[in-house]
């Protein structure tokens, strides 16, 4: 019931400034509420609204004081911008996420940003950069024990490898990507890998 959930979260955002101790009552701050509303909006197909909400959240975050949080929001913005068809602005958002993310960030955080960035690079035909970023994401995901992200990174690598003429190598990577998605119980990722294999 993402649409209904989104309506409730948006209503909470409308009421936020009128409620004393809103963050304490909600169990999260205004930025997190904006982030949740954006995710729900994107899920129900309102990517433009998701972009607007994420941009608002970014404005409210101090990038110097909390670069990891800002990086996560820029990564989310990059995904949503891709969904509205603005791939150039999306890549700019991913680049900003990479700039903000500390080099000593946990592997899981690195893997999330790198994989999403690699996918956008691939979709904009920046194949060499996409392959490098996807390989980094794969390695970080393995270090974090995240099969889902590893599978998505392998899916990017599979597509790129097949596109360069190594179809057999691409198919092998694609099969592994589908297997990892199935093991992680991520049906959307599994379908994406199967489509690319086809």
């Amino acid at each position: 019931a993402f649409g209904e959930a989104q309506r409730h979260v948006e209503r909470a955002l409308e009421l936020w400034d009128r409620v004393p101790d809103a963050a304490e009552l909600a169990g999260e701050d205004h930025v997190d509420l904006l982030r949740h509303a954006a995710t729900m909006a994107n899920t129900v197909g309102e990517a433009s609204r998701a972009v607007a909400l994420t941009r608002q959240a970014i404005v409210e975050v101090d990038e110097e004081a909390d670069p990891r949080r800002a990086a996560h929001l820029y990564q989310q913005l990059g995904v949503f911008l891709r969904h509205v068809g603005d791939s150039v602005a999306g890549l700019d958002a991913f680049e900003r996420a990479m700039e903000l993310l500390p080099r000593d960030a946990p592997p899981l955080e690195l893997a999330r940003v790198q994989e999403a960035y690699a996918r956008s690079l691939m979709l904009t035909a920046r194949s060499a950069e996409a392959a490098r970023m996807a390989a980094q994401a794969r390695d970080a995901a393995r270090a974090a024990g995240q099969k889902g992200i590893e599978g998505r990174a392998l899916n990017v690598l599979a597509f790129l490898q097949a596109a360069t003429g190594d179809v057999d190598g691409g198919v092998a990577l694609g099969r592994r990507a589908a297997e990892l998605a199935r093991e992680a119980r991520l049906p959307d990722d599994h379908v994406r890998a199967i489509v690319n294999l086809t």
Side-chain angles (χ1 to χ4, degrees):
F2 290 108
E4 186 176 350
Q6 181 197 358
R7 285 191 296 276
H8 287 299
V9 174
E10 295 259 12
R11 182 69 178 136
L13 288 169
E14 290 172 15
L15 296 170
W16 190 269
D17 291 333
R18 291 191 260 164
V19 178
D21 302 320
E24 186 178 327
L25 290 168
E28 59 188 10
D29 66 12
H30 195 249
V31 170
D32 278 337
L33 199 61
L34 286 165
R35 184 173 54 81
H36 291 315
T39 299
M40 290 176 213
N42 186 66
T43 301
V44 298
E46 295 181 14
S48 294
R49 180 66 179 147
V51 167
L53 289 163
T54 306
R55 287 189 197 273
Q56 186 180 344
I58 287 170
V59 168
E60 294 184 20
V61 171
D62 183 337
E63 293 182 8
E64 288 188 19
D66 199 349
R68 287 168 61 180
R69 190 178 201 194
H72 176 74
L73 288 168
Y74 274 106
Q75 178 224 326
Q76 187 174 19
L77 178 62
V79 171
F80 298 156
L81 285 165
R82 184 176 69 222
H83 292 173
V84 297
D86 194 345
S87 58
V88 173
L91 288 174
D92 288 344
F94 283 120
E95 286 168 12
R96 185 62 183 144
M98 292 298 297
E99 289 169 5
L100 286 166
L101 201 61
R103 293 299 152 235
D104 62 349
L108 176 57
E109 291 182 32
L110 285 170
R112 280 185 180 138
V113 175
Q114 291 166 336
E115 182 278 321
Y117 189 18
R119 202 170 345 150
S120 284
L121 287 166
M122 177 190 72
L123 292 170
T124 53
R126 290 169 60 177
S127 301
E129 294 168 85
R132 282 193 299 275
M133 190 61 60
Q136 291 175 23
R138 175 202 59 208
D139 295 344
R142 283 180 182 163
Q146 286 291 322
K147 290 182 178 181
I149 299 172
E150 181 185 350
R152 287 195 293 276
L154 284 177
N155 201 15
V156 171
L157 289 168
F159 186 86
L160 293 170
Q161 194 159 336
T164 61
D166 182 4
V167 177
D168 290 340
V171 166
L173 286 175
R175 286 190 172 133
R176 180 62 182 146
E179 182 181 305
L180 286 169
R182 190 173 54 252
E183 289 174 10
R185 297 183 179 181
L186 296 169
D188 289 348
D189 291 350
H190 187 240
V191 168
R192 189 178 298 115
I194 295 298
V195 167
N196 284 351
L197 273 168
T198 303

